[in-house]
């Protein structure tokens, strides 16, 4: 009797270890896909939270409901399998959201993908285990640990092979509503639940038809993912080429403006020099000073400012950011807003997704443009790149006092009768990353927002 109790304890312990490896594998694969590197302490807290929460809620509180299911009933077997998958999936999603990643939409979708992948691979490998043992024997969970490690290696390696990062980035860019994300995630999970409906199993034995069916399903899914990636790649290349073309057109337009201004200045220069010569002969020093001052101001306003702007933009080596700035600067000039850009050292790739960097910069500039257009103010954009961080400062005029303490709330705006969705969206982006800090100040009618992106995530 004591031997049986000891064997049961070891059996349960081995099962717990296999399940822990499974959850750790899914979470590690998720983090690799999202390029998140949390502290080891936080990672283990998230892992322990999943195991303890699941054990308490589902293995203790809700266990009687599952035990009442009839193991000989095919319908009850499907219900049990559905319950097991949805409960495991829910706890992993909750843990990732609480401790590792605040982007709930991507969390729901990505976790459903990796949990379904695990489920299909589990079916395949578990089928092989029946060649060596049965679920009642102690060897079964021991081999199950090896199986969990192998599945983890396959999943982790699939991130690069199947280009999951790009696929999930595209999914995130589309900003689907929550109802759509939840619906798609449930449909993905149903793939795993659908397998036992197509391939019913009542006993523990190796079945070649089950293996063949699962291999076909996995192959089709891999082909579907690769095909989807190729479609996204073609779309991305097209958008990239269009962006470069637009950027070149805007750059050429600036050069043409500089050339035209140079012609005008050359014509005016001759007239001004003639006036200076005549005034010098007459001894009108004050008039000479005024003419030279006007000539310098005209050069600064029409030529030097554009040349300086072009020089600053050349320091930005992220094409998507440069393209955004070209568009915003064109818009700013059309609205006759004073704008100053200073880029200290070349701005290169950093440790966040480029699309998020572009979105943050776009929100900051849009808010500044709307504010200063109403009040005839000015905007300054400063970008400082060093070895440790990229610092972005947007400084614009405001004609009223701003309560900094209210800014974090959804709906806040520095502008009257404005919903302030931009600032709330900005905070949502920043909350995705542990290496971004956002500082806000308002003093002497200057509203300043500073974003610091560290090169290494904390």
């Amino acid at each position: 009797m004591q031997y049986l109790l000891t064997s049961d304890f070891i059996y349960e312990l081995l099962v717990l270890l296999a399940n822990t490896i499974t959850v750790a594998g899914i979470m590690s694969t998720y983090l690799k896909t999202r390029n998140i590197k949390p502290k080891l302490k936080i990672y283990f807290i998230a892992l322990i939270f999943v195991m303890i929460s699941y054990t308490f809620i589902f293995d203790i509180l809700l266990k009687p409901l599952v035990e009442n299911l009839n193991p000989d009933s095919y319908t009850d077997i499907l219900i049990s399998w559905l319950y097991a998958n949805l409960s495991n999936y829910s706890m992993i999603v909750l843990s990732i959201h609480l401790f590792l990643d605040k982007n709930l939409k991507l969390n729901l979708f990505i976790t459903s993908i990796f949990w379904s992948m695990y489920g299909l691979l589990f079916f395949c490998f578990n089928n092989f285990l029946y060649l060596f043992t049965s679920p009642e024997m102690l060897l079964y969970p021991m081999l199950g640990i090896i199986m969990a490690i192998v599945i983890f290696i396959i999943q982790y390696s699939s991130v690069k092979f199947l280009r999951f990062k790009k696929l999930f980035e595209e999914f995130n860019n589309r900003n689907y509503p929550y109802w759509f994300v939840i619906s798609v995630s449930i449909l993905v999970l149903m793939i795993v639940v659908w397998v036992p409906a197509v391939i019913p199993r009542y006993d523990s034995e190796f079945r070649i038809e089950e293996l063949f069916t699962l291999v076909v399903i996995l192959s089709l899914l891999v082909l579907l993912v690769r095909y989807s990636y190729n479609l996204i790649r073609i779309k991305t290349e097209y958008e990239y080429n269009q962006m470069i073309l637009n950027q070149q057109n805007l750059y050429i337009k600036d050069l043409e403006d500089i050339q035209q201004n140079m012609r005008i200045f050359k014509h005016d220069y001759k007239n001004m020099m003639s006036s200076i010569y005549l005034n010098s002969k007459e001894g009108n020093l004050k008039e000479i000073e005024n003419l030279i001052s006007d000539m310098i101001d005209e050069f600064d306003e029409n030529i030097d400012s554009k040349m300086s702007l072009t020089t600053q933009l050349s320091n930005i080596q992220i094409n998507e950011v440069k393209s955004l700035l070209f568009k915003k600067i064109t818009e700013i000039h059309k609205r006759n807003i004073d704008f100053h850009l200073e880029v200290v050292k070349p701005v290169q790739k950093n440790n966040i997704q480029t699309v998020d960097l572009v979105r943050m910069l776009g929100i900051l500039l849009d808010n500044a443009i709307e504010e200063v257009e109403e009040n005839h103010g000015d905007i300054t954009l400063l970008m400082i790149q060093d070895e440790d961080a990229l610092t972005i400062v947007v400084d614009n005029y405001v004609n009223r006092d701003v309560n900094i303490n209210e800014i974090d709330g959804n709906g806040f705006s520095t502008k009257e009768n404005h919903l302030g969705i931009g600032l709330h969206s900005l905070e949502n982006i920043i909350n995705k990353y542990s290496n971004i800090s956002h500082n806000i100040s308002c003093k002497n009618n200057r509203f300043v927002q500073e974003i610091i992106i560290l090169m290494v995530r904390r």
Side-chain angles (χ1 to χ4, degrees), residues 180-196:
F180 179 83
V181 175
I182 293 172
S183 301
V184 171
S185 300
I186 292 175
L187 286 175
V188 172
L189 289 172
M190 288 302 102
I191 295 174
V192 184
V193 180
W194 171 73
V195 170

Side-chain angles (χ1 to χ4, degrees), residues 98-149:
L98 289 176
F99 301 103
L100 302 174
D101 188 8
K102 296 300 182 183
N103 191 327
L104 185 56
K105 289 182 182 180
L106 269 183
N107 183 1
L108 289 164
F109 182 62
I110 294 176
T111 305
S112 70
I113 295 287
F114 289 137
W115 181 259
S116 298
M117 182 187 295
Y118 162 77
L120 293 174
L121 291 171
F122 173 83
F123 263 111
C124 287
F125 287 106
N126 193 57
N127 192 36
F128 278 109
L129 294 190
Y130 297 137
L131 289 172
F132 309 100
T133 183
S134 64
E136 294 78 20
M137 298 180 65
L138 196 60
L139 181 61
Y140 181 80
M142 295 173 66
L143 294 175
I145 292 173
I146 299 174
M147 178 179 68
I149 294 173

